[in-house]
């Protein structure tokens, strides 16, 4: 079951809006992406997000937010595992559908063969 996106709207004054637009342009993002990033960060840190003034951004001159280099092999492995997980989810759903189909067939076609009915059958069976 997928999750549905919800829309949040609110009003800001014109100066704040222009500042947000400038931030979005600096990061080459849309305003919506800026807000999604902020909301994701806020949720990830349980509402405990502090604003860091420009003059307090780090003692070693690094920008904010801090960045970490990740090897390409790690990214490729992560992507491979995501694809494999998606494939396994699809297979699981397919197997569930097949099990449901078999259950429906078993419920509909409950065929009982009585031994007495086989006595008059032309085909004879011998055990042993």
């Amino acid at each position: 079951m997928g999750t549905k996106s919800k829309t949040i709207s609110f009003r800001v004054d014109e100066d704040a809006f222009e500042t947000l637009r400038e931030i979005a342009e600096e990061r080459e993002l849309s305003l919506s992406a800026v807000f999604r990033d902020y909301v994701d960060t806020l949720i990830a840190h349980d509402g405990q997000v502090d604003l860091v003034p420009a003059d307090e951004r780090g003692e070693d001159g690094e920008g904010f937010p801090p960045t970490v280099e990740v090897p390409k092999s790690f990214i490729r492995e992560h992507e491979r595992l995501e694809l494999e997980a998606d494939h396994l989810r699809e297979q699981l759903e397919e197997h569930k559908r097949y099990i449901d189909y078999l259950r429906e067939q078993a419920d509909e076609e409950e065929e009982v063969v009585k031994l007495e009915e086989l006595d008059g059958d032309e085909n004879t069976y011998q055990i042993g």
Side-chain angles (χ1 to χ4, degrees):
M1 184 183 284
T3 59
K4 293 185 178 182
S5 295
K6 300 290 183 180
T7 301
I8 300 172
S9 66
F10 55 92
R11 295 187 182 274
V12 295
D13 64 27
E14 194 171 336
D15 292 336
F17 181 79
E18 290 304 320
T19 303
L20 288 170
R21 184 184 298 183
E22 289 170 12
I23 291 170
E25 286 175 5
E26 275 180 26
R27 295 183 183 182
E28 297 178 1
L29 299 170
S30 67
L31 278 173
S32 297
V34 171
F35 283 107
R36 280 193 299 272
D37 289 348
Y38 178 74
V39 168
D40 291 343
T41 303
L42 190 65
I43 290 170
H45 295 92
D46 196 28
Q48 302 298 315
V49 178
D50 292 329
L51 296 176
V52 179
D55 57 344
E56 297 177 17
R57 285 192 182 168
E59 299 167 11
D60 55 0
E62 287 186 21
F64 187 83
T67 58
V68 176
E69 288 191 32
V70 179
K72 285 185 181 181
S73 61
F74 178 83
I75 294 170
R76 287 190 192 116
E77 181 67 9
H78 181 72
E79 290 171 345
R80 185 190 70 75
L81 291 172
E82 281 182 345
L83 289 172
E84 186 175 336
D86 288 342
H87 177 68
L88 290 172
R89 282 188 206 98
E90 290 171 6
Q91 281 187 328
L92 179 62
E93 287 302 315
E94 184 178 329
H95 288 291
K96 285 179 180 178
R97 285 192 302 273
Y98 184 65
I99 289 171
D100 291 341
Y101 168 77
L102 291 177
R103 285 184 180 147
E104 287 175 11
Q105 293 297 321
D107 291 343
E108 290 175 4
E109 300 175 8
E110 192 171 307
E111 186 176 320
V112 177
V113 177
K114 296 182 180 179
L115 292 177
E116 301 89 44
E117 294 174 2
L118 292 177
D119 288 341
D121 196 1
E122 296 173 2
N123 299 327
T124 58
Y125 302 99
Q126 184 174 358
I127 300 176

